[in-house]
């Protein structure tokens, strides 16, 4: 494991939030991506029809080993939201109108909008039910809230068909008890849709042990794969439920019969071919997955050391920022919420001042004047900042962020941004 920052083409301070938002890839892996882009440009037909599918299969196999899953259950999509769409748009809802989608109030906003769209377009066939949670809370409180929501659904004459939940919540950025909720779904006969947008590369993912019904996780956030790339896992038992890639393309098998397919014949499953080609897009990030996994082992010493370093740094860095701001870190008594590479620190500003416009001013000012960005979010009557830890950062970077945030809060109290 390296003990010093790695060479990146952006400020180390910027990376305090970049990993949680959009990710960042090392130069070596971006060079690998551009090599494949050049191959595709030099001979598009040869590369895209005959060479790319073979390389893609190698990357699917590498990812399958990384998350401990069969290769034929693994495909790649552009991002986690695409995977969520693929599942929810393809599910069949009963015509009696009793089906429900269960989700937690800390859901990522984009995924919540997918639920809204499915409900709005279902013509009354499906509804949604939120599970309100307020951090900090214990894992067992979240499991209890899940069971209470199931009972509320029954009491309302409904039935929960699927539940969507995080590996690590986005805002605030805390570890969610995804393993316990996956098991609770299985025991209750509810489909589990795990949103691991913040997942692979940050926390250990073992899909054989977890056994979710659907799982998607961005590779461009924590695994060092260039944007944009996400692993999409669907076990064999559920692949019939996901009949189309997004967008629908040559891999789709219509019920009305076959159509002409200009791509080379394949003996792969319908699920794999659905996502192998979804139109002419730049899929070069997908073929960087194997290289990124090997790079992490070769340069950084492997996943155990990476996760130990980043999770420890997030905890120590969060405490350092809290000392500077004279506030607190968001965590529960058992400290399970902080077992990830992100930390959340309360800002010393009255929540009445933390209006949406003030938050927007603070984040815009970070970009314009401080050349950085830290995500802000009001939760449980308090304004929090979310900071990310990575191998090229150290506690001094968090301290820098703490002083920057303190200065911004002082400016708000003096009337700026309002």
């Amino acid at each position: 494991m390296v003990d010093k920052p790695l060479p990146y083409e952006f400020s180390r301070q910027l990376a305090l939030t970049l990993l949680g938002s959009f990710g960042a890839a090392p130069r070596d892996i971006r060079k690998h991506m551009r090599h494949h882009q050049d191959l595709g440009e030099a001979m598009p037909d040869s590369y895209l029809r005959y060479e790319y599918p073979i390389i893609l299969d190698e990357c699917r196999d590498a990812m399958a080993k990384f998350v401990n899953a069969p290769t034929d259950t693994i495909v790649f999509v552009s991002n986690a939201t695409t995977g969520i769409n693929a599942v929810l748009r393809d599910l069949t809802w009963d015509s009696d109108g009793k089906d429900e989608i269960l989700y937690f109030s800390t859901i990522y906003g984009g995924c919540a909008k997918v639920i809204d769209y499915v409900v709005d377009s279902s013509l009354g066939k499906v509804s949604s039910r939120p599970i309100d949670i307020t951090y900090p809370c214990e894992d067992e409180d979240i499991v209890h809230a899940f069971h209470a929501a199931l009972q509320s659904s029954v009491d309302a004459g409904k039935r929960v068909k699927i539940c969507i939940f995080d590996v690590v919540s986005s805002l605030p950025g805390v570890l969610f008890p995804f393993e316990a909720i996956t098991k609770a779904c299985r025991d209750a006969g509810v489909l589990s849709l795990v949103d691991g947008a913040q997942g692979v590369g940050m926390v250990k993912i073992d899909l054989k042990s977890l056994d979710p019904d659907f799982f998607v996780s961005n590779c461009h956030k924590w695994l060092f794969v260039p944007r944009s790339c996400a692993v999409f896992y669907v076990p064999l038992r559920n692949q019939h439920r996901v009949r189309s890639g997004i967008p629908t393309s040559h891999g789709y098998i219509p019920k009305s019969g076959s159509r002409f397919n200009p791509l080379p014949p394949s003996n792969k499953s319908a699920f794999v071919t659905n996502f192998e080609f979804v139109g002419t897009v730049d899929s070069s990030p997908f073929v960087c997955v194997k290289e990124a996994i090997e790079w992490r082992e070769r340069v950084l010493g492997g996943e155990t050391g990476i996760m130990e370093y980043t999770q420890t740094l997030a905890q120590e860095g969060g405490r350092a920022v809290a000392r500077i701001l004279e506030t607190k870190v968001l965590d529960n008594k058992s400290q399970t919420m902080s077992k990830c590479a992100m930390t959340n620190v309360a800002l010393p500003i009255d929540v009445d001042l933390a209006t949406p416009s003030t938050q927007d001013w603070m984040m815009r000012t970070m970009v314009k004047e401080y050349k950085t960005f830290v995500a802000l979010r009001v939760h449980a009557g308090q304004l929090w900042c979310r900071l990310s830890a990575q191998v090229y950062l150290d506690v001094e970077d968090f301290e820098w962020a703490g002083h920057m945030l303190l200065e911004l809060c002082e400016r708000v109290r003096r009337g700026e941004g309002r």
Side-chain angles (χ1 to χ4, degrees):
M1 180 66 187
V2 296
D3 58 1
K4 61 182 179 181
L6 298 173
Y8 272 66
E9 293 176 349
F10 51 81
S11 71
R12 293 166 68 192
Q13 288 82 10
L14 177 61
L16 283 163
T17 188
L18 192 60
L19 270 297
S21 297
F22 302 111
R27 285 194 293 263
D28 286 350
I29 301 174
R30 284 183 280 136
K31 182 179 179 180
H32 183 82
M33 177 184 70
R34 287 165 185 152
H35 169 67
H36 280 276
Q37 289 174 329
D38 289 342
L39 291 176
E41 291 297 329
M43 295 189 67
D45 279 292
S46 174
Y47 179 80
L48 293 174
R49 292 176 185 273
Y50 305 110
E51 298 166 33
Y52 166 76
I54 295 173
I55 302 168
L56 183 66
D57 285 345
E58 293 173 353
C59 288
R60 290 176 47 241
D61 187 60
M63 175 54 71
K65 292 181 173 65
F66 190 81
V67 296
N68 194 21
T71 301
D72 55 4
T73 64
I74 296 293
V75 294
F76 296 116
V77 292
S78 296
N79 49 58
T81 309
T82 300
I84 300 297
N85 271 269
V87 175
L88 292 183
R89 287 170 181 254
D90 266 3
L91 283 182
T92 301
W93 312 105
D94 197 287
S95 59
D96 63 9
K98 293 183 178 181
D99 286 339
E100 283 197 324
I101 303 170
L102 205 60
Y103 67 96
F104 290 84
S105 58
T106 52
I107 189 174
Y108 178 64
C111 294
K113 291 292 182 69
V114 180
I115 295 175
D116 293 339
Y117 170 79
V118 170
V119 171
D120 292 346
S121 60
S122 72
L123 302 178
K125 289 184 178 181
V126 62
S127 57
S128 62
R129 181 178 297 271
I131 305 174
D132 290 326
I133 58 173
T134 301
Y135 293 125
C137 60
E138 297 299 324
D139 292 350
E140 54 264 31
D141 296 331
I142 295 176
V143 175
H144 177 76
F146 169 81
H147 287 295
L150 287 181
Q151 186 58 53
S152 295
S153 180
V154 172
D155 294 343
K158 300 283 188 174
R159 59 174 172 266
V160 175
K161 181 160 188 174
I162 189 168
C163 180
I164 177 173
F165 51 93
D166 301 311
V167 171
V168 175
S169 298
S170 175
L171 288 167
V174 299
L175 184 67
F176 190 84
F178 66 99
E179 294 164 319
I181 296 298
T182 301
K183 182 180 184 304
C185 285
R186 185 163 53 248
D187 292 344
V190 172
L191 293 171
S192 55
L193 172 50
V194 185
D195 176 11
Q198 315 276 356
V200 291
M202 197 225 291
V203 297
K204 182 176 176 56
I205 302 295
D206 184 335
L207 291 179
K208 181 178 181 181
S209 175
L210 184 65
D211 192 26
D213 288 298
F214 309 95
F215 175 90
V216 62
S217 185
N218 287 328
C219 302
H220 56 253
K221 289 197 176 187
W222 296 92
L223 197 64
F224 297 155
V225 175
R227 289 183 296 273
S228 56
C229 174
V231 53
F232 183 36
Y233 161 86
V234 181
L236 295 178
R237 67 178 182 271
N238 286 326
Q239 289 183 4
H240 68 284
R241 299 179 184 271
V242 183
R243 300 190 61 242
S244 172
I246 295 181
T248 300
S249 191
H250 292 301
Y252 180 72
I253 302 175
K255 294 180 179 179
S256 58
S258 63
R259 292 185 182 274
F260 172 69
N261 184 346
L263 299 177
S266 171
N267 58 4
K268 300 172 189 175
S269 69
F271 173 70
V272 171
T273 54
N274 253 318
F275 291 90
E276 184 172 273
F277 183 87
V278 290
T280 304
V281 296
D282 181 10
S283 52
S284 58
F286 296 1
V287 297
C288 294
V289 170
K290 183 171 182 276
E291 178 70 14
I293 292 172
E294 292 175 350
W295 189 92
R296 290 163 69 88
E297 181 70 33
R298 182 175 67 252
V299 177
L300 302 181
E303 301 307 309
T304 300
I306 293 171
M307 292 181 188
E308 180 180 349
Y309 181 84
T310 54
Q311 292 181 18
T312 299
L313 177 59
Q315 294 163 5
E316 293 179 354
R319 290 193 291 268
V321 173
R323 285 194 296 270
I324 292 169
L325 299 179
E326 297 184 348
T327 58
K328 61 183 178 181
V329 174
L330 181 62
D331 207 351
N332 52 16
K333 291 182 179 179
S334 58
Q335 298 184 329
T336 56
M337 291 170 52
S338 60
K339 290 183 178 179
C340 62
M342 294 198 291
T343 185
N344 308 270
V345 182
L347 296 184
I349 181 173
D350 190 276
V351 70
D352 293 335
L353 298 179
T355 63
S357 61
T358 298
Q359 294 176 54
D360 179 66
W361 176 84
M362 294 176 72
M363 289 184 283
R364 285 177 180 270
T365 302
M366 291 181 212
V367 172
K368 291 181 179 179
E369 299 183 21
Y370 298 91
K371 308 304 178 186
T372 190
F373 182 87
V374 175
L376 306 178
R377 176 75 176 268
V378 172
H379 181 79
Q382 175 72 59
L383 181 61
W384 302 87
C385 68
R386 184 192 72 189
L387 301 166
S388 299
Q390 195 46 275
V391 294
Y392 44 78
L393 299 173
D394 53 37
V395 173
E396 290 181 358
D397 297 302
F398 280 81
E399 292 172 342
W400 178 91
H403 290 295
M404 180 271 298
L405 291 165
L406 181 62
E407 184 174 310
L408 263 182
C409 290
E410 291 172 347
R411 291 174 63 175
V412 170
R413 285 194 290 268
R414 291 197 299 265
E416 291 190 62
R418 287 188 277 155

